[in-house]
Amino acid sequence: MSVLEVKNLEKHFDRTKVLNDISFTLEQGQALSIIGSSGSGKTTLLRCLNFLETPDGGSISVNGEVLFDAADPDTRREADVRRKRLHFGLVFQSFNLFPQYTALQNVTLAPELLAKEQPDYKARKKEIHADIEAEGREYLAAMGLTDRANHYPHQLSGGQQQRVAIARALAMHPDILCFDEPTSALDPELTGEVLRVIRSLAEQHTTMIIVTHEMGFACEVSDRVIFMDGGFIVEQGGREVITDPREERTRRFLSGV
């Protein structure tokens, strides 16, 4: 069974249709790269998967559970959105760290808020917070940031901030980790350190969706590739979508990268 199944997903803003009949699946442990020019619908697709935008058609299922079905009002309740978002960890282009919190606090904030909903929270408060902090430090260590745990975002480089953002997403234990152009806000010399982290996650068979313009990197780490253009999936498959594309639109895009 696929960890993610997207069927006939559609999204429009006013009269502009930005996602058209988007359908694909993703298996556990696979890395999927989504490529395409600006305005092709890549970011909107990620935002729909994370329920930052509400699709206008189609369905989204994770591990066999239907999270959204445009034809079923019971799956469109606003009250359920936060729970649905827990299935997806999203790493934004621009880090989105809280400037008033340290790196460690940025990583542990959401788990601490969720912990307060546990029935035994009051009785085990100190133990729960200690466990969350210990895990947060482990994620920062995995990102090579052990000595930056108590630094604030303004004390970190762009690459370090993005690695904190990745640790923050991982701390929520999502089914699928999503990256939206994770290196686009970085200087070239900092891009490599973030790509190395994502490459390591791919080697650990972390289930990921990566919107990227780094074609060589996408070809290296991806189990599957989707090329989008004008809100449509033009071509999808394995790495051959990049190395030996079938569609003329894909070839034209790659020749201009």
Side-chain angles (χ1 to χ4, degrees), residues 89-151:
L90 179 57
V91 179
F92 298 89
Q93 296 180 23
S94 55
F95 321 143
N96 280 16
L97 300 181
F98 292 103
Q100 71 273 33
Y101 296 138
T102 64
L104 180 59
Q105 288 169 333
N106 267 281
V107 173
T108 61
L109 178 61
E112 287 174 348
L113 291 174
L114 285 174
K116 293 179 179 180
E117 299 177 5
Q118 296 179 19
D120 61 347
Y121 175 74
K122 289 184 178 180
R124 299 181 54 243
K125 181 177 179 179
K126 288 186 178 180
E127 178 186 350
I128 289 172
H129 280 266
D131 289 345
I132 291 172
E133 179 176 330
E135 186 175 57
R137 290 186 182 278
E138 289 177 4
Y139 281 121
L140 287 174
M143 297 297 113
L145 296 170
T146 299
D147 60 345
R148 295 292 188 269
N150 295 319
H151 285 59

Side-chain angles (χ1 to χ4, degrees), residues 35-43 93 181 213 227-231 253:
I35 62 174
S37 59
S38 297
S40 61
K42 307 184 302 295
T43 293
Q93 296 180 23
E181 297 279 11
H213 61 277
F227 169 62
M228 292 184 65
D229 186 43
F253 167 75

Side-chain angles (χ1 to χ4, degrees), residues 12-191:
H12 56 77
F13 296 105
D14 296 325
R15 296 183 179 180
T16 303
K17 207 168 189 179
V18 293
L19 294 179
N20 296 269
D21 198 25
I22 301 295
S23 297
F24 65 93
T25 60
L26 183 63
E27 301 299 320
Q28 183 73 39
Q30 286 189 329
L32 165 66
S33 287
I34 303 178
I35 62 174
S37 59
S38 297
S40 61
K42 307 184 302 295
T43 293
T44 299
L45 174 56
L46 283 192
R47 290 179 64 84
C48 285
L49 292 178
N50 283 271
F51 298 97
L52 296 171
E53 302 285 354
T54 302
D56 296 302
S59 65
I60 301 169
S61 300
V62 173
N63 292 322
E65 177 190 357
V66 178
L67 301 185
F68 175 85
D69 184 341
D72 183 358
D74 287 342
T75 67
R76 300 173 64 99
R77 292 192 295 262
E78 287 293 324
D80 295 334
V81 167
R82 190 182 72 164
R83 176 186 63 81
K84 293 175 182 180
R85 284 178 181 158
L86 296 177
H87 292 283
F88 299 89
L90 179 57
V91 179
F92 298 89
Q93 296 180 23
S94 55
F95 321 143
N96 280 16
L97 300 181
F98 292 103
Q100 71 273 33
Y101 296 138
T102 64
L104 180 59
Q105 288 169 333
N106 267 281
V107 173
T108 61
L109 178 61
E112 287 174 348
L113 291 174
L114 285 174
K116 293 179 179 180
E117 299 177 5
Q118 296 179 19
D120 61 347
Y121 175 74
K122 289 184 178 180
R124 299 181 54 243
K125 181 177 179 179
K126 288 186 178 180
E127 178 186 350
I128 289 172
H129 280 266
D131 289 345
I132 291 172
E133 179 176 330
E135 186 175 57
R137 290 186 182 278
E138 289 177 4
Y139 281 121
L140 287 174
M143 297 297 113
L145 296 170
T146 299
D147 60 345
R148 295 292 188 269
N150 295 319
H151 285 59
Y152 291 89
H154 74 272
Q155 298 173 309
L156 303 173
S157 70
Q160 290 169 339
Q161 290 185 61
Q162 192 63 298
R163 283 184 280 154
V164 172
I166 296 171
R168 178 180 60 185
L170 288 169
M172 297 304 294
H173 303 284
D175 293 294
I176 303 159
L177 186 59
C178 302
F179 295 89
D180 185 12
E181 297 279 11
T183 62
S184 65
L186 299 176
D187 295 331
E189 62 269 21
L190 299 177
T191 294

Side-chain angles (χ1 to χ4, degrees), residues 196-213:
R196 281 193 294 274
V197 167
I198 303 174
R199 186 180 295 110
S200 176
L201 291 171
E203 291 170 353
Q204 297 168 40
H205 302 291
T206 303
T207 308
M208 297 186 291
I209 299 176
I210 310 163
V211 169
T212 183
H213 61 277

